[in-house]
């Protein structure tokens, strides 16, 4: 199993361009696989595409992921061009992961969608993105969008992407099995990860699809010391959807992060995005300590791998 370990700065605002620069350069220096950014239109974190474009200019090796980017509410042709452009300028390093968006009413207002229409929009837009990336011209007559021989350029260097999806509920997991190339769990226990992975694989098989065994991962928050008030609130919001769990089974401290990742590996996951639930005083020091704690789990490959 090929293990990859990436990093995300969390949902708070980065400390200006200097903080992002230190994070990106530190990830390259220490050997992490990737940088991931989340999205919340009503939050303080910068726009994910703008952030990853900035990161692409600062780096040459690390992959650049969205965990996860809201799909409903974005015009598919323009989004296809935007992501393909970013991927070309980044040398083919983009890893898009999509979701329905936050349940917060403000997020739905920002994207101009009603909660009840998000699923229909998602299921129309994602196949359209794949077609725009792969086909010369796209003709489509759907519930929301209509195109007649529309040509969108540029194309991604590889002609498309392995698209990952998030989600935790049974409908979300089944949707991932029908539409995605990989599943990225979040705020999950190892037991939940194993069950979710099994359902995604089973649904994919029922749909006549195949998802690679290596395409299962998790966003893994970690802490230093006790959970603070903000982290407790985030944990409570996440578990309101997933059900009760022990905090230690979801959010390990740095000392137990290695053991926690090994349990997720045993559950069949091999791609990890680590998220500190605190604001590091120094990204150099933070990444060095995380490197020492867990990076030995990452599969060593050649420069091409």
């Amino acid at each position: 199993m090929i293990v990859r370990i990436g990093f995300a700065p969390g949902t708070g605002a980065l400390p200006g361009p200097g903080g992002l620069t230190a994070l990106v350069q530190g990830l390259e220096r220490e050997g992490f696989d990737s940088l991931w950014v989340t999205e919340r239109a009503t939050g303080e974190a910068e726009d994910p595409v703008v952030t990853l474009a900035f990161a692409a200019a600062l780096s040459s090796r690390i992959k650049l992921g969205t965990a996860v980017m809201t799909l409903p509410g974005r015009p598919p042709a323009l989004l296809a061009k935007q992501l393909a452009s970013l991927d070309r300028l980044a040398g083919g390093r983009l890893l898009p992961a999509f979701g329905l968006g936050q349940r917060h009413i403000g997020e739905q207002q920002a994207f101009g969608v009603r909660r009840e229409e998000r699923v229909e929009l998602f299921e129309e837009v994602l196949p359209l993105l794949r077609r725009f990336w792969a086909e010369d011209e796209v003709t489509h007559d759907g519930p929301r969008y209509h195109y007649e021989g529309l040509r969108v350029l540029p194309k991604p260097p590889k002609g498309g992407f392995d698209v990952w999806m998030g989600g935790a509920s049974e409908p979300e997991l089944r949707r991932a099995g029908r539409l995605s190339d990989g599943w990225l769990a979040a705020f999950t226990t190892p037991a939940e990860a194993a069950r979710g992975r099994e359902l995604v694989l089973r649904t994919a098989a029922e749909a006549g699809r195949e998802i690679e065994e290596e395409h299962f991962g998790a966003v893994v928050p970690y802490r230093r010391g006790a959970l603070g008030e903000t982290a407790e609130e985030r944990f409570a919001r996440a578990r309101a959807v997933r059900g009760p769990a022990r905090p230690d089974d979801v959010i390990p401290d740095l000392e137990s992060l290695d053991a926690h990742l090994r349990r997720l590996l045993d559950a069949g996951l091999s791609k990890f995005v680590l998220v500190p639930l605190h604001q590091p005083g120094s990204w150099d020091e933070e990444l060095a300590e995380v490197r020492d704690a867990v990076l030995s789990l990452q599969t060593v490959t050649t420069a091409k791998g």
Side-chain angles (χ1 to χ4, degrees):
M1 184 176 289
I2 299 175
V3 180
R4 295 282 184 262
I5 299 178
F7 205 89
T11 57
L14 287 167
L20 181 55
T21 298
L23 173 58
V24 171
Q25 293 178 343
L27 291 173
E28 289 246 316
R29 180 182 63 251
E30 302 295 356
F32 287 89
D33 177 70
S34 49
L35 167 72
W36 296 76
V37 295
T38 188
E39 175 167 59
R40 186 157 187 172
T42 58
E44 295 184 11
E46 289 83 356
D47 175 84
V49 173
V50 173
T51 302
L52 292 181
F54 187 95
L58 293 169
S59 59
S60 61
R61 181 190 59 79
I62 57 171
K63 303 181 187 73
L64 307 166
T66 60
V68 295
M69 189 177 191
T70 299
L71 201 52
R74 283 190 158 95
L78 297 182
L79 179 60
K81 182 179 183 72
Q82 183 181 42
L83 296 182
S85 299
L86 174 56
D87 191 49
R88 284 170 63 91
L89 293 173
R93 292 184 283 146
L94 184 61
L95 296 174
F98 297 121
L100 295 180
Q102 301 281 341
R103 291 175 172 82
H104 189 275
I105 185 64
E107 292 292 299
Q108 292 156 39
Q109 291 177 1
F111 284 95
V113 298
R114 300 187 307 275
R115 181 169 181 172
E116 60 270 19
E117 67 180 345
R118 293 184 305 163
V119 171
E120 183 180 56
L121 275 169
F122 189 100
E123 298 205 4
E124 182 178 7
V125 170
L126 181 54
L128 276 171
L129 289 177
R130 293 188 188 275
R131 293 185 64 193
F132 282 129
W133 289 326
E135 299 177 15
D136 290 336
E137 295 182 347
V138 171
T139 296
H140 170 81
D141 187 16
R144 177 65 67 92
Y145 298 101
H146 178 81
Y147 304 111
E148 295 182 6
L150 182 60
R151 188 181 187 195
V152 175
L153 297 171
K155 304 295 185 186
K158 297 177 182 178
F161 300 97
D162 285 332
V163 174
W164 291 56
M165 289 170 55
S169 68
E170 181 172 339
E172 290 171 329
L173 295 171
R174 290 192 177 278
R175 191 176 307 115
R178 288 188 294 104
L179 298 175
S180 81
D181 302 300
W183 175 54
L184 194 64
F187 276 86
T188 186
T189 69
E192 290 167 343
R195 291 193 296 269
R197 179 180 180 275
E198 181 180 347
L199 180 55
V200 171
L201 284 171
R202 186 167 68 248
T203 305
E206 291 169 355
R209 304 181 65 246
E210 183 176 349
I211 297 178
E212 294 183 22
E213 294 284 335
E214 302 283 353
H215 282 193
F216 291 87
V219 177
V220 182
Y222 70 92
R223 58 187 168 84
R224 288 179 179 269
L227 282 178
E229 181 178 349
T230 301
E232 287 182 351
E233 291 175 356
R234 288 185 62 190
F235 176 75
R237 287 197 301 269
R239 298 312 305 184
V241 177
R242 294 162 177 79
R246 293 186 307 106
D248 287 349
D249 210 23
V250 178
I251 308 174
D253 59 22
L254 184 59
E255 290 71 26
S256 56
L257 183 56
D258 179 276
H260 186 77
L261 294 185
R262 291 180 186 275
R263 292 175 63 203
L264 291 171
L265 282 167
D266 290 340
L269 277 59
S270 61
K271 306 298 183 284
F272 304 116
V273 181
L274 309 182
V275 186
L277 292 187
H278 57 279
Q279 184 62 52
S282 164
W283 284 112
D284 288 347
E285 294 177 5
E286 184 76 18
L287 294 177
E289 291 188 37
V290 176
R291 173 205 64 201
D292 292 343
V294 300
L295 210 56
S296 61
L297 294 174
Q298 183 165 266
T299 304
V300 177
T301 62
T302 65
K304 293 183 178 181

